[in-house]
Amino acid sequence: MPDRPRLRRGVRLSYDKVRATHVLLYPEGVLVPNGTAAAVLRECDGSTTVREIASRLGTRFRGVRAADVANVLERLAERRVVEWT
């Protein structure tokens, strides 16, 4: 089963200075992810596994679990902004 997430083609995570938050730009619109989702999305490069993402985030935040990271990514995949390699 693929477990290396990446942003789909045409999707870009950027920082909106006016709103002072991250935004996820994709062909169908704009999504404003919460801080947790933005942190996860920044790690989605297509070569890093969910466990590795959880480990990296665990150095900055307490209580990060791979299952929670996977859950965030699955919801983003349902919105067609993340894909698995």
Side-chain angles (χ1 to χ4, degrees), residues 1 10 15 19 23 31 40 59-60 64 66-67 70 72 75 82 85:
M1 177 178 160
Y15 188 77
R19 295 179 187 163
V23 292
L31 179 66
V40 170
T59 65
R60 296 185 307 191
V64 176
V72 168
R75 286 184 289 154
V82 169
T85 61

Side-chain angles (χ1 to χ4, degrees), residues 6-56:
R6 69 176 177 200
L7 298 179
R8 291 181 65 92
R9 186 173 164 176
V11 176
R12 186 171 47 117
L13 180 67
S14 61
Y15 188 77
D16 184 333
K17 292 178 184 176
V18 173
R19 295 179 187 163
T21 189
H22 283 91
V23 292
L24 195 59
L25 307 170
Y26 58 106
E28 294 83 18
V30 176
L31 179 66
V32 181
N34 65 25
T36 302
V40 170
L41 287 165
R42 283 193 299 270
E43 300 293 331
C44 294
D45 59 10
S47 63
T48 306
T49 67
V50 170
R51 281 194 190 283
E52 291 167 337
I53 291 170
S55 177
R56 286 180 187 178

Side-chain angles (χ1 to χ4, degrees), residues 36 54-55 57-69:
T36 302
S55 177
L57 294 177
T59 65
R60 296 185 307 191
F61 307 104
R62 288 181 14 185
V64 176
R65 299 181 322 167
D68 295 333
V69 171

